[in-house]
Amino acid sequence: TEVPTLFGRLGFPESSFVISYSTGTLFTDAFFGIKYYGDNNVMSEEFTKNSEKYHIRPNAFRPDLVHYKKINETFRTSVYENTNAFSLGFTAPNKMKSVVLVDDEPIANQEKILRALSRNTFAEPFYLVENIQTVVTQNISPNENAALNKTYTKADKDKPAYIDFQFLTKSDAPYYMVVDSRIDEDNTHFRLNGESFPYYKSYRTDQVFNLASGTANQSIEFSFELLEEMLTIRDLNLYRFNLTQFNSLMNEMANRQMVIDSFSQTKIDGRITVTDNTDIFMLSIPYSEGWTIEIDGKAVDTFPVLDGLLATDITSGEHRITLSYRTPYLTIGIFTSLLSACILYLIDKKKRQDH
């Protein structure tokens, strides 16, 4: 369950066995090597209301895809290329070992990883806190508490009630909002600028919603429609992504990527140039005892980072990397199965002889 935990702590819907990559950011796309991204095109109202048409149900909203290059388009979908996507393996400063991620702080966790990836010290955060300038309510009882995060109660429980959070974008950078994991489709209906907001509706950790990107001075309204008499909002925060700082980090990471020469599900060969003797080599592959890493033909010790990604120490210089996977305890399992089969055969043979 380590990998679902990692994704959950970065703001993705997940369970013990399932991860939905539906709330990505420009950073997570790069970090997990999302090279290509397919997105639904906006369909006309006439098309979407036609029951005879096959509908693709959107479970994500990614206006930040405007920062990628569109490389293909069909009637229903568009495909984008992310030139910042990391390789399967890359180097990171040794401080990545000490990064500790916590529950329900997805933006803070992404910030920790971003800072741990760089050898530089940045003056500003990668995620800049933004103020929600206006809160407009309809059919909500007055509350002297001026905070955004509080309990909202319907004035008339038999009528619709809404909470509208409004802000103005300062630039074309992506804007992300963190929404509390305890708010779900049973108690709330989300709307963005009056339209139903598409999202993956099964999650157990705080989520990161991309509300705007690509347009400065745009008025944004994100609304909560109360489906029950009361709604408690916690952890609601708005962030603007620091594109300038992110692009600087991507330039730094460009020369720290593994070049893959051959790939299969159980063996990967590649090469990498390391410039800092204290770096670690890490991969976006889940840590498992079944993985063996060889550097220049010699097996090295591995360890987990970030709640379960595979990593190892590495020295400066040019290196050949070989990753091999063998199912843990496979040999023991095969031997045990063969031994059991032999014992059953001997027992059966003896019974036949007795009769």
Side-chain angles (χ1 to χ4, degrees), residues 266-269 289-294 322-326:
T266 57
K267 188 174 183 180
I268 304 166
D269 286 299
E289 293 181 359
W291 280 108
T292 299
I293 298 180
E294 292 183 2
T322 300
L323 291 96
S324 304
Y325 184 80
R326 184 179 180 85

Side-chain angles (χ1 to χ4, degrees), residues 169-181:
T169 60
K170 296 178 180 177
S171 69
D172 66 348
Y175 280 74
Y176 300 105
M177 178 176 279
V178 174
V179 176
D180 179 18
S181 62

Side-chain angles (χ1 to χ4, degrees), residues 326-355:
R326 184 179 180 85
T327 304
Y329 311 113
L330 177 62
T331 302
I332 296 174
I334 293 173
F335 176 77
T336 303
S337 298
L338 290 173
L339 180 62
S340 299
C342 290
I343 292 172
L344 289 173
Y345 171 75
L346 293 172
I347 292 172
D348 182 67
K349 184 178 179 180
K350 187 174 188 308
K351 284 183 178 179
R352 290 175 183 272
Q353 291 173 346
D354 291 343
H355 291 288

Side-chain angles (χ1 to χ4, degrees), residues 231-255:
L231 176 67
T232 298
I233 296 180
R234 311 173 183 87
D235 305 337
L236 187 73
N237 288 291
L238 179 67
Y239 299 89
R240 174 169 51 91
F241 195 54
N242 192 330
L243 274 177
T244 301
Q245 199 159 279
F246 177 68
N247 289 333
S248 175
L249 175 59
M250 292 303 97
N251 289 334
E252 181 186 342
M253 291 296 300
N255 297 321

Side-chain angles (χ1 to χ4, degrees), residues 139-281:
N139 189 31
I140 298 294
S141 296
N143 190 323
E144 294 182 359
N145 185 352
L148 296 177
N149 294 290
K150 60 185 177 183
T151 297
Y152 296 82
T153 306
K154 282 185 176 183
D156 185 336
K157 65 179 181 179
D158 297 321
K159 293 182 179 180
Y162 301 90
I163 311 161
D164 303 330
F165 298 98
Q166 302 171 347
F167 64 94
L168 186 69
T169 60
K170 296 178 180 177
S171 69
D172 66 348
Y175 280 74
Y176 300 105
M177 178 176 279
V178 174
V179 176
D180 179 18
S181 62
R182 288 159 287 194
I183 297 175
D184 57 34
E185 61 177 335
D186 294 328
N187 53 36
T188 310
H189 181 71
F190 295 125
R191 293 184 181 276
L192 180 63
N193 297 329
E195 301 290 335
S196 183
F197 184 76
Y199 68 104
Y200 192 88
K201 295 180 172 59
S202 177
Y203 53 84
R204 58 183 183 181
T205 55
D206 284 10
Q207 298 295 285
V208 178
F209 291 161
N210 182 199
L211 301 187
S213 190
T215 307
N217 300 314
Q218 180 183 13
S219 295
I220 303 296
E221 180 180 89
F222 191 64
S223 304
F224 292 61
E225 179 185 358
L226 277 66
L227 303 181
E228 298 175 347
E229 188 174 351
M230 297 174 60
L231 176 67
T232 298
I233 296 180
R234 311 173 183 87
D235 305 337
L236 187 73
N237 288 291
L238 179 67
Y239 299 89
R240 174 169 51 91
F241 195 54
N242 192 330
L243 274 177
T244 301
Q245 199 159 279
F246 177 68
N247 289 333
S248 175
L249 175 59
M250 292 303 97
N251 289 334
E252 181 186 342
M253 291 296 300
N255 297 321
R256 288 160 48 190
Q257 305 294 317
M258 176 185 179
V259 177
I260 296 176
D261 296 319
S262 65
F263 178 91
S264 74
Q265 296 302 315
T266 57
K267 188 174 183 180
I268 304 166
D269 286 299
R271 49 203 155 84
I272 195 167
T273 300
V274 184
T275 57
D276 192 310
N277 209 43
T278 63
D279 275 359
I280 65 169
F281 175 68

